[in-house]
Amino acid sequence: MKILFLGDVVGRAGRDAVISRLPRLREEWSLDFVVVNGENATAGIGISADHAKAILNAGADCLTLGDHAFDQKDMFSFIESEPRIIRPLNYAKTAPGRGARLFDARGGRKILVAQVLGQVFMKRPFDDPFSAVDAVLRNHPLGGMAQAILVDVHAEATSEKMGMGHWCDGRASVVVGTHTHVPTGDAQILLGGTAFQSDAGMCGDYNSVIGMDKLEPLRRFVTGMGKERFTPAEGDATLAGLYVETDDRSGKATKVRMIRVGGKLQESLP
Ligand SMILES: [Fe+2]
Ligand SMILES: [Fe+2]
């Protein structure tokens, strides 16, 4: 299976880049399944129903969220009516939506997508992500019902994300980190056959501070005094993420490539 994962879409620049480029990439790279993390798509915080629909219509098969899952209030109800959106497994017990789901991929194949939130350096303590993922993977052995399994680990600490990669090694096809908005250079296939990257990076304007217009973050760093809200940077965005090919029988990864298209970052293609 040819799978593309795109990291956190940030603001209008990120949305426009995904919506304008994804249809062609789907075609050109013969993608079987596309997952996009949409947690910052609307003004940098959360994602509205309209923006979720626009990214799904552009060719995403699944949207994952994150700690900002419900910052746009219409997501509380929209997620119940749109099964292609996944929120973290270990979010509040009362959160609407679900944290894992089996999807149809091209050619009658199935792919399981799950998302978890990390605990290290996160603003709010979430339930243990390792046991949350473990329960899902035990219920869905790779190569059984699902030809492929993708886990989005939404966390601040690279150490925790790497730990999650090894925890899932051999049990998931792909474990990819999100949340920190800068792609890490460590894409690899782990010993058990799981494709892994600590962070996919963001789909957004990299002439920024993690996707936000530089002025206000710098003011806060330099003076310690905030003046305005953060707003997403509006320049040309880079699509950043991970491309993975998997073996349909074993579910293991056979090829992994870091993806960077457009904007400021050096290009990297499958
Ligand atoms: Fe994010
Ligand atoms: Fe996040």
Side-chain angles (χ1 to χ4, degrees), residues 2-9 18 22 25 29 31 33-39 62-65 111 113-115 150-154 174-179 197-203 239-244 257-260:
K2 292 176 176 169
I3 301 164
L4 177 67
F5 180 89
L6 293 177
D8 310 34
V9 177
V18 172
L22 185 55
L25 295 183
W29 299 347
L31 298 171
F33 201 78
V34 176
V35 181
V36 177
N37 183 302
E39 76 143 4
C62 168
L63 296 182
T64 55
L65 298 172
I111 176 169
V113 181
Q115 184 180 47
L150 182 145
V151 177
D152 171 351
V153 51
H154 195 82
V174 187
V175 175
V176 60
T178 53
H179 179 71
Q197 185 182 11
S198 293
D199 203 285
M202 65 169 171
C203 298
L239 295 190
L242 194 64
Y243 169 86
V244 179
R257 293 285 183 272
M258 294 187 273
I259 298 298
R260 295 184 299 270

Side-chain angles (χ1 to χ4, degrees), residues 8-106:
D8 310 34
V9 177
V10 181
R12 178 187 300 279
R15 289 194 319 266
D16 287 353
V18 172
I19 290 164
S20 65
R21 292 171 198 261
L22 185 55
R24 226 190 55 214
L25 295 183
R26 257 205 100 107
E27 194 78 13
E28 259 176 38
W29 299 347
S30 323
L31 298 171
D32 295 310
F33 201 78
V34 176
V35 181
V36 177
N37 183 302
E39 76 143 4
N40 308 107
T42 300
I45 46 166
I47 180 168
S48 67
D50 283 348
H51 291 159
K53 284 180 204 164
I55 295 173
L56 289 165
N57 288 340
D61 298 293
C62 168
L63 296 182
T64 55
L65 298 172
D67 51 319
H68 292 293
F70 300 107
D71 286 358
Q72 298 294 324
K73 298 308 165 205
D74 60 353
M75 189 51 66
F76 279 107
S77 57
F78 187 63
I79 197 169
E80 301 276 28
S81 66
E82 179 46 85
R84 292 176 293 175
I85 303 179
I86 296 294
R87 49 85 172 155
L89 281 168
N90 54 339
Y91 213 85
K93 296 256 184 310
T94 52
R98 54 180 121 189
R101 181 175 166 252
L102 206 55
F103 289 81
D104 293 315
R106 257 197 343 199

